[in-house]
Amino acid sequence: MDKTREKMKRMLEEKEVSAILALRRNHGHPTPFLFTKAEELKDWVADEANRYPLTKLLIKIARKHQSDVIGIIVRGCEERSLVELLKNFQLRQGKVKAIGIACSQELANRCRCDQPFPSQVEEGQVAKPATDFSDLEEIEKLTEEDRFQYWMSQFGKCIKCYGCRNICPACFCPTCTLEDANLIKPGGMPPEIPIFHLHKAYHMADRCIDCGLCEEACPMGIPVRRLYRRVKKSVKDLFGYIPGEKEDEKGPLEFLGDGSYELPGAGK
Amino acid sequence: MNYETVLTTCTYCGCGCGLLLEVLDGEVVGTLPQKDHVINEGGACIKGWNAHEFIYHEGRLKHPLIRKDNSFKEASWEEALEVVVTCLKKIKEENGPDSIAGLTSARCTNEENYVFQKWMRAVIGTNNVDHCARL
Ligand code: SF4
Ligand code: SF4
Ligand code: SF4
């Protein structure tokens, strides 16, 4: 990653950016860090085993330092999440500079990733898409009753840590539906199911960029990504919309009602 | 502009999950579960995810308080320890060491907890020791 490190160094030295958000080796552990000086970059790591929601962490930094242009190292999914955050006004156009890095084939396979690379990559081999929806296909083979049972037993394990929401780089509302007592009864464990998980799924339908961080963060091993992949698929089938793809295209669930989206008809 | 994440261990229970405290310009603004920690592997419970919140909480005790005339008054450590020593001595003399129990905290380190139980056993002379993290 020497070329990328050089580029980061140049950007900092030439003041193209005030700082760069990336991972740094910290007592041997890759952890998020904001690089402000070129000499700090010796500790930068493009670690693949420890993915943190860097784009989401950038929101609070950028909100406090609104006049600064901040660089950020992005993988394919992180670039897609940047697109979602920009179009939903969580980050400001022109104030973020993405530096793309490609994922290894091993990581792409592990993530079952459609597009394991951002739009621009400085160096290295770009991995082949590792598209794999067998998790969905498997569950869709079940009868409706069995499928419902499957999900209810999964949701029943939930300890309401909100980790799937907190880690999600496409989730950002300051007032969250999942904590709205009128919609989801508070105080219980597990939370009210299936409504707790369905609310999150509905909200992710036109925002989820399928990075899989939610499932990684779930301490109870609930396959939440599978659920979000399903709603994402519905949005694609119904509206031809893919979150994270185009910056100038609004999510259909936000736009319904003003005529800009026509339902192409059931089943298409 | 300064942002870093500091490795630490959750202070809420005995599991010992690895956490990262997000520090923005010297202020702790958030918590993330540590991805490569052997215990929690990138997950945390709701308390862990919010472990930073008590730091600036207005209810947080920053000085010893001594109860005088039914209300708490701020005191120096010397005064506070003096009260503790006098009262504990008196109770021990009048009612024996087993009339005293010690409850320690997950907010302390292992070493501090070790010292505390040792002190309860060797100085006070009782096995009445427990810990808030014994969930
Ligand atoms: S989801 Fe894709 S782009 Fe993101 S880390 Fe995995 S392989 Fe890379
Ligand atoms: S895969 Fe999970 S964490 Fe990633 S964008 Fe979708 S819902 Fe959020
Ligand atoms: S991460 Fe898992 S356990 Fe935590 S709230 Fe989400 S589904 Fe429930």
Side-chain angles (χ1 to χ4, degrees), chain A residues 116-127:
Chain A
F117 46 83
S119 53
Q120 280 182 339
V121 179
E122 278 320 297
E123 65 188 305
Q125 276 242 302
V126 161

Side-chain angles (χ1 to χ4, degrees), chain A residues 24-36:
Chain A
R24 142 179 102 146
R25 196 160 289 287
N26 178 5
H27 299 281
H29 305 276
T31 61
F33 183 69
L34 190 69
F35 293 88
T36 50

Side-chain angles (χ1 to χ4, degrees), chain B residues 51-109:
Chain B
H52 61 286
E53 285 195 342
F54 73 88
I55 296 174
Y56 305 111
H57 197 279
E58 54 175 51
R60 187 172 176 187
L61 280 182
K62 293 180 188 138
H63 311 275
L65 301 174
I66 298 177
R67 196 202 302 263
K68 278 186 194 132
D69 309 325
N70 256 344
S71 74
F72 285 108
K73 299 260 162 23
E74 221 172 85
S76 69
W77 279 107
E78 285 73 36
E79 286 172 89
L81 289 173
E82 191 52 47
V83 173
V84 173
V85 170
T86 321
C87 292
L88 284 181
K89 264 191 179 150
K90 186 162 173 269
I91 296 169
K92 190 177 160 181
E93 271 158 28
E94 288 173 5
N95 304 295
D98 279 337
S99 59
I100 300 171
L103 186 68
T104 175
S105 167
R107 297 219 174 283
C108 308
T109 61

Side-chain angles (χ1 to χ4, degrees), chain A residues 6 12 30 72 98 111 183 196 254 265:
Chain A
E6 270 311 304
L12 283 176
I72 182 167
C111 292
L183 294 169
F196 180 91
E254 205 177 317

